[in-house]
Amino acid sequence: ITTPDVKLNLGGEFIKESTATTFLRQRGYGWLLEVEDDDPEDNKPLLEELDIDLKDIYYKIRCVLMPMPSLGFNRQVVRDNPDFWGPLAVVLFFSMISLYGQFKVVSWIITIWIFGSLTIFLLARVLGGEVAYGQVLGVIGYSLLPLIVIAPVLLVVGSFEVVSTLIKLFGVFWAAYSAASLLVGEEFKTKKPLLIYPIFLLYIYFLSLYTGV
């Protein structure tokens, strides 16, 4: 017995079904032939899936490395629009140049970044600052960039103790000023030194992990 052809109406177009397809549908197994439509959200680029904006990270890096207000950068974007991957990349890069054959330094620097930022966050909240932990984490991480910049200079002038010390102090002040200018707002008023000082000490400790002091 010849099974008649069956035509399906899909969007105004008729599609001819084969005998096997018709048999499966008549037996209640038509669901085996269903094909799910592709979800356009599944075809997003990897960077978009991970919420990584390279242009935004590059802009924040310039804001940290050039903290002078006269340059015209909107530096508050580093604090007001925090991200995780940019600071993590900076901290990992700083960890890589601090290895000196000791891989455990990487995990230790990341730990100091996370818990050091937590300490600054708690202190800021106690002093009355309106800042989130993610904002502090991003600012502290990005502000390691000045220490990365002075690292190759220290390799060149390492034998000159006085010059090396001056460059280290310059790098720490640069990093601490960049972070403090973003985190220490007007809401602290006369309490600014109470937050600036631990930020300064935190970057001194970061530098000691690099130099081995």
Side-chain angles (χ1 to χ4, degrees), residues 86-160:
L88 178 62
V90 174
V91 173
L92 287 177
F93 187 69
F94 180 74
S95 302
M96 290 297 133
I97 66 175
S98 304
L99 281 177
Y100 287 113
Q102 299 179 1
F103 191 74
K104 61 183 180 181
V105 173
V106 177
S107 59
W108 183 240
I109 289 177
I110 293 176
T111 302
I112 295 302
W113 170 48
I114 293 174
F115 287 97
S117 299
L118 179 61
T119 302
I120 301 297
F121 163 70
L122 294 176
L123 183 58
R125 298 293 290 189
V126 169
L127 295 176
E130 296 295 331
V131 63
Y133 176 60
Q135 293 175 325
V136 178
L137 197 67
V139 170
I140 296 297
Y142 273 118
S143 296
L144 275 173
L145 285 167
L147 300 186
I148 295 176
V149 171
I150 69 170
V153 182
L154 291 177
L155 292 177
V156 176
V157 300
S159 56
F160 303 97

Side-chain angles (χ1 to χ4, degrees), residues 170-184:
F170 172 73
V172 170
F173 275 109
W174 185 3
Y177 172 77
S178 185
S181 61
L182 289 168
L183 293 177
V184 182

Side-chain angles (χ1 to χ4, degrees), residues 37-50:
D37 295 332
D38 292 335
D39 188 352
E41 295 185 358
D42 295 338
N43 299 324
K44 289 182 179 180
L46 180 60
L47 293 181
E48 188 176 345
E49 285 284 348
L50 296 176

Side-chain angles (χ1 to χ4, degrees), residues 13-212:
E13 296 181 359
F14 288 95
I15 300 176
K16 187 177 180 180
E17 284 192 341
S18 65
T19 303
T21 302
T22 304
F23 176 79
L24 289 174
R25 290 191 184 280
Q26 290 175 346
R27 296 298 185 275
Y29 296 101
W31 56 272
L32 293 173
L33 306 173
E34 294 178 358
V35 179
E36 294 183 0
D37 295 332
D38 292 335
D39 188 352
E41 295 185 358
D42 295 338
N43 299 324
K44 289 182 179 180
L46 180 60
L47 293 181
E48 188 176 345
E49 285 284 348
L50 296 176
D51 197 20
I52 300 175
D53 189 342
L54 296 180
K55 291 183 179 180
D56 181 61
I57 292 174
Y58 175 63
Y59 185 81
K60 290 177 180 177
I61 287 174
R62 290 192 296 167
C63 289
V64 170
L65 290 179
M66 294 176 282
M68 290 73 71
S70 59
L71 295 177
F73 288 109
N74 181 20
R75 300 188 67 246
Q76 287 302 315
V77 73
V78 182
R79 169 178 170 169
D80 297 338
N81 186 26
D83 66 288
F84 176 74
W85 297 108
L88 178 62
V90 174
V91 173
L92 287 177
F93 187 69
F94 180 74
S95 302
M96 290 297 133
I97 66 175
S98 304
L99 281 177
Y100 287 113
Q102 299 179 1
F103 191 74
K104 61 183 180 181
V105 173
V106 177
S107 59
W108 183 240
I109 289 177
I110 293 176
T111 302
I112 295 302
W113 170 48
I114 293 174
F115 287 97
S117 299
L118 179 61
T119 302
I120 301 297
F121 163 70
L122 294 176
L123 183 58
R125 298 293 290 189
V126 169
L127 295 176
E130 296 295 331
V131 63
Y133 176 60
Q135 293 175 325
V136 178
L137 197 67
V139 170
I140 296 297
Y142 273 118
S143 296
L144 275 173
L145 285 167
L147 300 186
I148 295 176
V149 171
I150 69 170
V153 182
L154 291 177
L155 292 177
V156 176
V157 300
S159 56
F160 303 97
E161 185 174 350
V162 176
V163 178
S164 178
T165 301
L166 291 176
I167 292 175
K168 291 176 183 177
L169 289 174
F170 172 73
V172 170
F173 275 109
W174 185 3
Y177 172 77
S178 185
S181 61
L182 289 168
L183 293 177
V184 182
E186 292 299 326
E187 64 268 24
F188 292 100
K189 297 181 179 179
T190 58
K191 300 177 182 178
K192 289 183 179 181
L194 295 177
L195 191 60
I196 295 175
Y197 182 65
I199 292 174
F200 181 73
L201 292 180
L202 180 61
Y203 285 107
I204 288 180
Y205 188 69
F206 275 122
L207 183 64
S208 69
L209 291 175
Y210 168 71
T211 58

